Amino acid sequence: MEEQRVRGHGPVRWWRYGPPWWDRPDDAEPRAARLPWRSTVLFTGVVMVGSNFAAHDQPHRVPLDGYARVLLLAASVLLLWRHRHPVFVAFGTAGVTLVYLGAGYPYGPVFLTVAVSCCTAVADGHRRAAWTAVGLLWAGHVLIALWLYRLLPPPGDAGGTIGQEIVIATWVLAIGALSELARVRREQWVRERADRAQAARRRADEERLRIARELHDVLAHSISVINVQAGMGLALLDRDPEQARAALTTIKAASKEALGEVRQVLDTLRAPGAAPRAPAPGLDRLPELVEQAAGAGLTVAVEGTAPKLAPGADLAAFRIVQEALTNVVRHSGSRHARVRLDGDAATLRLRVDDDGPATGADAGGSGNGLAGMRERAAALGGTIEAGPRPDGGFRVLAVLPLRTAAEEDDR
């Protein structure tokens, strides 16, 4: 309702959008589609009123009459189309101004229309046309002031001098320089805005990939455990109800943990920049991962101890181990896996092995999980090697730096 009231025919709408009989384009349309009527009204007032004051100080020139005011009004009204047709308006204002001066009328703010139209043309990229229009106006003025003044009004005009024309040329160059400065600043602003938009899109893409990776790792592992336990529970439901009950208990625990981690990921979407409600998982939760794998029928042996890691590296290491064990559960016939942790002062080596054999054509994973592991490692400056072992089975080897390049620079 407020939007409709403001866009009615009251004074607010007049000031914002122009008179009601003018069609105002939608806000989504480009600037060139809009008529700059407010600034044009301001320029017209300055030209008309200023010319009257200037005429009082130039009694030797032809007094302002109706024809002079028509020329002043025509030069000013042309500014309405300076964004739509900048070249035409630049030459039009220059031509009208030259006719005005040739008729012997007083000097004054009529030059403002030429300056505004040429500045707009230069800012819109029509530099040659703007400089040509200004040059023709100056050349015409030189011709009138130095040679044709005897044939044109007012009678008895003494004409101009070379020095006066040089001063006028200096002003023309100054206006042109300001126009070029405005053009350069506008192009720089456009580039900066495009760079900011591109950076924002890149950040959004990176965040989307990060969230997709997190959701894939959480859901793939938990659903794999749930799938194995559900199959076991169905097979044992009639002949061994206690084992079926244990399988259902594991399903409940896995689904609860998955929901908690998914909720943690989604919380970052609801409140960007807010601190998570629970700490991100790391290698300190490796025993829980081993226990979940055991619930899916996979025995995991862990060797070695991981050094203290930064939160980002700790999360990446945990997710890599989680995804590797998930692939063993889903794609390997082996019910045994080995996780080995080796660390030194610079790197952490994670190795996950199983003895196979593969149970399907997509052994080792369908591709998304391995791609996610590689992205996590690459984000930290590390590497991932994944593939069949020469003696059978499958191996995932991750090498992660303990410090990122940014942390090294800070040191």
Side-chain angles (χ1 to χ4, degrees):
M1 294 297 292
E2 181 67 17
E3 180 77 10
Q4 296 175 356
R5 185 187 67 79
V6 170
R7 295 195 177 192
H9 297 310
V12 174
R13 188 197 186 281
W14 266 71
W15 175 247
R16 277 190 170 183
Y17 310 114
W21 57 84
W22 287 7
D23 292 332
R24 184 187 68 83
D26 294 335
D27 292 340
E29 295 189 19
R31 182 182 60 145
R34 307 181 184 184
L35 294 178
W37 69 270
R38 284 177 290 183
S39 58
T40 301
V41 168
L42 178 62
F43 291 139
T44 302
V46 171
V47 170
M48 301 299 290
V49 175
S51 297
N52 286 328
F53 282 102
H56 293 303
D57 297 330
Q58 303 174 59
H60 58 286
R61 304 288 293 178
V62 177
L64 292 177
D65 54 17
Y67 181 61
R69 289 183 170 82
V70 169
L71 290 175
L72 293 173
L73 186 62
S76 301
V77 171
L78 278 174
L79 296 179
L80 276 173
W81 292 274
R82 64 184 185 271
H83 294 306
R84 292 185 180 181
H85 310 289
V87 174
F88 171 77
V89 173
F91 281 100
T93 53
V96 172
T97 302
L98 188 60
V99 172
Y100 174 89
L101 297 176
Y105 293 117
Y107 292 93
V110 65
F111 293 105
L112 177 63
T113 59
V114 181
V116 171
S117 63
C118 290
C119 285
T120 303
V122 170
D124 287 344
H126 303 282
R127 303 168 60 196
R128 182 177 299 178
W131 282 103
T132 302
V134 173
L136 290 177
L137 175 60
W138 180 76
H141 183 268
V142 170
L143 188 63
I144 293 172
L146 299 182
W147 289 286
L148 299 181
Y149 66 92
R150 300 182 184 89
L151 305 177
L152 297 174
D157 188 8
T161 64
I162 295 294
Q164 291 174 340
E165 296 306 318
I166 292 176
V167 172
I168 294 176
T170 303
W171 278 104
V172 170
L173 291 175
I175 292 174
L178 290 176
S179 302
E180 293 290 343
L181 181 62
R183 178 187 63 82
V184 171
R185 184 65 188 93
R186 180 182 178 186
E187 291 177 354
Q188 181 182 2
W189 177 77
V190 170
R191 285 195 301 270
E192 291 175 353
R193 185 174 64 174
D195 291 342
R196 287 195 298 269
Q198 184 178 4
R201 287 193 298 270
R202 185 169 57 251
R203 288 193 298 270
D205 291 341
E206 292 173 354
E207 182 66 11
R208 188 162 54 249
L209 287 174
R210 184 191 69 81
I211 293 172
R213 237 181 358 248
E214 288 291 326
L215 290 177
H216 174 273
D217 291 347
V218 170
L219 296 179
H221 176 75
S222 299
I223 292 177
S224 295
V225 172
I226 290 172
N227 180 64
V228 171
Q229 291 297 322
M232 186 184 302
L234 288 174
L236 299 175
L237 184 61
D238 294 328
R239 68 173 184 268
D240 195 345
E242 289 300 322
Q243 287 291 334
R245 183 185 301 275
L248 292 176
T249 303
T250 302
I251 291 175
K252 179 180 179 181
S255 61
K256 180 179 180 181
E257 180 177 358
L259 286 174
E261 294 200 29
V262 169
R263 188 178 296 113
Q264 181 179 349
V265 173
L266 296 181
D267 281 344
T268 63
L269 297 180
R270 297 191 182 98
R277 298 181 181 178
L283 290 179
D284 58 332
R285 290 181 54 183
L286 195 54
E288 297 180 24
L289 206 56
V290 171
E291 184 178 350
Q292 291 175 5
L298 180 66
T299 302
V300 180
V302 179
E303 303 175 6
T305 303
K308 185 175 182 180
L309 301 173
D314 206 17
L315 173 62
F318 177 82
R319 293 302 188 199
I320 289 172
V321 175
Q322 185 182 50
E323 178 63 26
L325 294 180
T326 300
N327 286 339
V328 175
V329 172
R330 296 174 61 188
H331 306 293
S332 175
S334 174
R335 295 297 87 190
H336 301 278
R338 294 179 299 279
V339 177
R340 182 171 180 81
L341 307 174
D342 291 319
D344 53 31
T347 59
L348 169 67
R349 292 170 57 88
L350 282 173
R351 193 178 71 191
V352 181
D353 291 290
D354 72 271
D355 298 328
T359 58
D362 56 349
S366 59
N368 291 331
L370 293 178
M373 286 194 285
R374 291 191 177 97
E375 290 172 359
R376 288 185 183 276
L380 298 172
T383 59
I384 286 283
E385 296 178 8
R389 298 187 309 173
D391 57 346
F394 199 85
R395 169 173 293 173
V396 174
L397 176 61
V399 180
L400 304 178
L402 298 185
R403 293 188 178 87
T404 62
E407 291 172 339
E408 291 291 342
D409 293 339
D410 293 339
R411 297 185 65 192

